[in-house]
Amino acid sequence: MDAYTISLLPEHEHATFWTPRDALMAEEESASERGAQLREERGTAWWDDAFAGVNEGLDWCFCGGAHPAQVLWRFWRLAQALHCPQTLEYAPLGERLFWEQGLAGGRHRLQLVFPGCDAEEVDWRIRRVLAPALAQARRRSRWEPPHAVERLEDFPCTALWSPPGEEALQRVFAYLFRKGITPGRLLRRVYAFAKWLRPELVLEMSLGDLGKIFGGETRAVQSWRVRQLMNGLLEGMGSSGRATWQRGEATRLRCRQGQLRRKLRNSRLEPAERGQ
């Protein structure tokens, strides 16, 4: 057996006939595949421009710092430049927000955000939270302070004013305005959106620090606001996602089980089943 090699003939294959109809169908199939690939590339380019527009809009809002008075002034200026219907409908509030860019104007906007509170006391509380966050951000080698631009006309918004970028930013602003134009409520949603998408703009402050800025809100309130805001926005766009700093679903369930075992959380189960 070692001295001989045995070769087997291949089995007989049936002949295939290539008709003109088969050639036409193959050509149509390849054309449809090329069209789908082109649509996918165009869709990716649209989302890239849209994401760039939203990023540049946030850069403009926070390029003067993370102080609420500055952010509110710049947010309203950008909303007016985008012709958001809320700014056209509530022009008197816009005039009050644009009243003065100096110190007096900042205190006036703080009174709009925190009604019934002393503006100087609120400003001192906010700066006391921002100072260590800014110092810690400067110690990071990868963090760079945003370039402050005083006029919206001087802002390099090439992607922002492109049709995809402007449309995406208008969608985001319409969603942020959904709960009304009350400055305090609006600014909380703006900070929650920036915390989810661009945490470096808010000096990578924790949710607890953001709660201190907005009058002693707890970390749980801030986390709930970010989760509700982004879930609604992403569901409206047909997508889903989670920030890099947010807990995963498995981590959240483990924390919940630990709280149940230590009886730190009320359970909807029967008392005998708690902690199991």
Side-chain angles (χ1 to χ4, degrees):
M1 292 293 293
D2 296 337
Y4 299 96
T5 57
I6 301 176
S7 61
L8 298 177
L9 295 176
E11 296 181 357
H12 175 71
E13 297 181 356
H14 297 283
T16 57
F17 298 95
W18 188 258
T19 62
R21 182 175 179 274
D22 296 333
L24 182 61
M25 292 178 63
E27 185 178 357
E28 290 179 354
E29 184 177 356
S30 61
S32 63
E33 291 179 357
R34 289 196 302 270
Q37 184 177 2
L38 287 176
R39 285 193 297 272
E40 184 178 356
E41 292 176 355
R42 291 173 184 172
T44 304
W46 189 93
W47 278 110
D48 290 342
D49 291 342
F51 186 75
V54 174
N55 269 334
E56 292 193 5
L58 284 179
D59 284 336
W60 157 257
C61 292
F62 286 88
C63 67
H67 198 282
Q70 279 286 335
V71 175
L72 181 62
W73 181 79
R74 292 177 180 275
F75 179 84
W76 200 268
R77 282 289 309 274
L78 185 57
Q80 196 176 49
L82 290 171
H83 304 289
C84 294
Q86 291 80 5
T87 59
L88 302 177
E89 185 178 356
Y90 298 96
L93 179 60
E95 293 177 0
R96 294 173 66 189
L97 292 175
F98 299 147
W99 178 51
E100 188 178 344
Q101 175 61 5
L103 183 61
R107 291 175 179 173
H108 183 72
R109 283 186 287 276
L110 284 178
Q111 289 180 350
L112 293 177
V113 177
F114 305 97
C117 298
D118 185 21
E120 294 184 0
E121 181 181 354
V122 171
D123 182 67
W124 176 79
R125 183 188 71 210
I126 292 173
R127 294 185 185 277
R128 188 177 63 176
V129 177
L130 290 178
L134 181 59
Q136 187 177 1
R138 285 174 175 170
R139 285 196 295 267
R140 302 190 188 99
S141 59
R142 58 185 175 87
W143 184 85
E144 295 181 1
H147 178 63
V149 182
E150 294 301 327
R151 297 195 310 165
L152 183 61
E153 293 79 9
D154 298 335
F155 191 68
C157 46
T158 54
L160 173 63
W161 302 124
S162 63
E166 186 173 355
E167 180 185 354
L169 198 59
Q170 284 176 345
R171 287 186 184 182
V172 171
F173 272 45
Y175 187 76
L176 293 175
F177 275 117
R178 181 174 295 181
K179 297 292 184 179
I181 65 162
T182 305
R185 181 178 297 181
L186 177 64
L187 206 58
R188 285 169 172 82
R189 294 169 67 83
V190 173
Y191 272 77
F193 180 72
K195 175 64 177 173
W196 184 87
L197 186 61
R198 297 282 303 280
E200 68 275 7
L201 295 180
V202 293
L203 307 177
E204 297 190 3
M205 289 186 291
S206 64
L207 295 177
D209 293 335
L210 292 180
K212 294 177 183 178
I213 288 179
F214 292 108
E217 291 183 348
T218 61
R219 182 188 181 281
V221 172
Q222 296 293 322
S223 178
W224 173 85
R225 183 177 293 120
V226 173
R227 186 169 61 252
Q228 293 294 322
L229 177 71
M230 296 315 304
N231 287 347
L233 182 61
L234 292 174
E235 287 176 2
M237 293 184 175
S239 179
S240 61
R242 182 178 294 273
T244 56
W245 51 267
Q246 284 181 309
R247 293 177 178 177
E249 189 67 21
T251 305
R252 191 175 64 83
L253 290 178
R254 282 200 306 269
C255 293
R256 181 181 183 277
Q257 291 175 0
Q259 291 174 351
L260 288 176
R261 283 195 299 269
R262 295 191 297 271
K263 298 182 180 179
L264 299 177
R265 177 196 289 254
N266 293 329
S267 175
R268 290 176 295 180
L269 303 175
E270 294 297 331
E273 299 178 0
R274 290 184 182 180
Q276 297 181 2

